[in-house]
Every structure is written in structure tokens, then in C-alpha cells.
Amino acid sequence: MLESRQPTGTYRVALIIQYLGTNFHGWQRQKAQRTVQEEIETAIANVLGYHVTLHGAGRTDAGVHAAAQVAHFDATGFIPAHKWSTVLNSYLPPDILIRASAGVDDNWHARFSAVFRRYRYTIYTEALPNLFVNSFSWHYYYAPLDESVMQAALEPLLGKHHLAAFHRAGSARSHSWVEVQAAECHRSASFIHIEIQANGFLYGMVRLLMGMLVQVGSGQLSLEDFTDIWKEQRREKVKYAAPPQGLCLLRVGYPDFPFAQEIWYDTQPYLVFGH
């Protein structure tokens, strides 16, 4: 077991992290469960010789992916901040990749300095299953989906709202106010892609929202009823969460970010068939 013997004279390192969530029990460290945070913290400890805490921009659920999660930790020693990505990748399993690393000010925080998070949800609509998309989409073929109606349902969500209807139990957050900054839905052949950007997200919010949005797109729920449910905070009416594998933390935004845009901005490939 590594000793807790943190030396003095630290510097702060920010990481851009990609992971395939399939075999993880989410981001946050949990007892007797495989998590992304613990895997990276173990890799850092193997390099430094002591344990550190890795602070993430957000906590993804079990099975959820990340194209550009952001985290930071404090280190000592002589490894330049921009070299940490290469060093850690040699210790990490193949379902985690540190895309880049950089030094940041001591008061910069991966969670509290962030001004937005953006998620993408992918739905696969062909009747026949496809092994090559199963791990990154919700295979929904039970009824046709109208993406234009789904987009219309998203538009009233823009702005600051009390979204308790999309807040799962078990969260330590004291309120359900969310400022939704963007909400977009479009189709590419057999795939429907939905992107939601907000200043922060409630526990379970995106998957609960996607579950209801599919009900709207399939005609099971009217636009008016959908809007009334969340405006009136009728949590009991929101019964189904979309499966986790269709969800990806696409990016996190900061007013002062040391990474070039091509490193973090849009690094999850779209699932598209050529017809």
C-alpha cells in the first residue's frame, strides 16, 4: 500500500480525458467498483509514489462515455505538466485515454471553474441490430421517431428553469435550477443525435430527459404534455431513463482554458451510415 506522504511545493495539472464507459461503474470512486477516477488516481500514484485526489468536471453514470472529460490534480516532482498525458497513458487500461495535459493556476478548478458542460445522446433507429453501434447508441426501433417534433419539445427548455422532473433521487444537490444554454436534435440517416448544453446537470437529468423525448418523438406524449410535466415539476410522470450507452460527455467549457480547441471541442465521432 502506498503511503500518504504528500511533499510540499506542488503544481496543478489539468487533463483532457476520454473513456469508454461500458465497463466502468461511472466516474466517481466507489468501494468495490471499477471507476474512471480510481483508475487514473492509481496511475498517478504509481508515478508519484503517493496518493492524490483527481477532481473531475462532472460525474458520469455507469456505462456513460466521455469524449473530453476534464479533471485536475496537484503534483510534485520534475515531470512537466504537458508530459503527464504521455506518462499516464503508459499506465492506464485501453478504455481510458489522456488526450492532453497542461499546467494551470493553483486557483483553477476542473469543476468550479467550468461555465458549461455539453452532452450528446445517440439513438439508432434501424430495425436490424448492429454490433458496431451497440456500445454507443440506444437501439430504438419500436416506433418511428420524428426528430422535428423532438426538436420542438427541446426549445422551451432553453433558459433557466427548475427541472426537478428530471432529477433522480440520491443527489446531494440542494436545488434543481439549471440554465440550459443549447438544445439541438438532428437526424443523420439511421441515427438521431441530441445535444444538450447547460451550466450544470442534475443527477440523472439527461437520461430521464431522453426517455421522455423519445415518447414525444414516437407520438406517445404530446408536446404540450411534455412541457407541462417539467414546468409543473411532476417527477412521478417521468418513469423511464434512456440507457446509458447512448450518452457521452462531449465537452466542458472554461473562460480560461490551456488547451487548443481541436483537442477538446468535438472529439466524439458521429455514428453515420453512408446512405
Side-chain angles (χ1 to χ4, degrees):
M1 180 181 292
L2 293 168
E3 297 179 3
S4 179
R5 49 181 178 84
Q6 174 85 23
T8 59
T10 62
Y11 62 100
R12 184 157 292 186
V13 181
L15 305 175
I16 302 291
I17 306 165
Q18 296 182 322
Y19 50 88
L20 306 178
T22 307
N23 296 316
F24 287 106
H25 202 75
W27 163 267
Q28 188 177 13
R29 186 193 319 107
Q30 298 178 54
K31 187 176 181 180
Q33 300 287 355
R34 184 176 186 242
T35 66
V36 180
Q37 182 185 24
E38 185 171 16
E39 289 276 7
I40 301 174
E41 286 180 346
T42 299
I44 296 169
N46 285 332
V47 177
L48 292 176
Y50 59 89
H51 288 293
V52 301
T53 297
L54 185 67
H55 302 271
R59 301 172 180 177
T60 53
D61 291 342
V64 175
H65 313 294
Q69 168 74 285
V70 180
H72 80 266
F73 67 97
D74 293 332
T76 61
F78 301 98
I79 299 174
H82 70 279
K83 292 287 189 180
W84 269 100
S85 54
T86 302
V87 171
L88 289 177
N89 283 332
S90 66
Y91 287 89
L92 289 168
D95 46 3
I96 303 178
L97 175 74
I98 309 300
R99 188 163 166 86
S101 59
V104 289
D105 292 339
D106 290 345
N107 60 357
W108 188 93
H109 197 285
R111 178 183 173 191
F112 299 118
S113 299
V115 292
F116 72 80
R117 287 92 172 156
R118 190 177 183 100
Y119 283 88
R120 177 184 293 158
Y121 198 91
T122 302
I123 302 171
Y124 173 55
T125 62
E126 281 194 8
L128 289 174
N130 190 314
L131 182 63
F132 292 94
V133 304
N134 280 353
S135 297
F136 303 99
S137 62
W138 178 10
H139 185 201
Y140 188 93
Y141 57 93
Y142 314 103
L145 294 177
D146 186 335
E147 66 276 11
S148 63
V149 176
M150 294 165 72
Q151 174 64 52
L154 289 171
E155 288 169 3
L157 283 163
L158 293 172
K160 188 174 183 179
H161 303 286
H162 192 49
L163 297 180
F166 303 123
H167 198 171
R168 276 175 55 188
S171 172
R173 185 166 172 168
S174 61
H175 64 85
S176 298
W177 288 98
V178 176
E179 181 187 349
V180 179
Q181 300 164 345
E184 303 165 6
C185 176
H186 70 274
R187 178 185 288 273
S188 297
S190 302
F191 297 95
I192 294 176
H193 305 283
I194 304 106
E195 294 189 14
I196 307 291
Q197 179 174 307
N199 63 334
F201 285 86
L202 307 173
Y203 179 46
M205 173 181 160
V206 181
R207 289 174 56 198
L208 289 170
L209 174 57
M210 292 303 110
M212 281 197 69
L213 197 62
V214 161
Q215 290 183 282
V216 175
S218 62
Q220 301 172 62
L221 190 67
S222 71
L223 282 170
E224 293 78 12
D225 287 344
F226 172 81
T227 304
D228 286 345
I229 286 169
W230 67 258
K231 283 190 172 181
E232 296 174 10
Q233 304 171 37
R234 301 175 68 184
R235 177 65 181 87
E236 76 282 359
K237 294 289 186 180
V238 185
K239 298 179 179 180
Y240 305 107
Q245 72 272 11
L247 185 58
C248 181
L249 175 56
L250 188 61
R251 69 181 76 108
V252 185
Y254 300 85
D256 184 16
F257 210 27
F259 299 100
Q261 184 167 305
E262 60 268 21
I263 293 173
W264 64 276
Y265 189 78
D266 203 3
T267 60
Q268 183 196 26
Y270 280 111
L271 294 176
V272 178
F273 289 149
H275 64 274

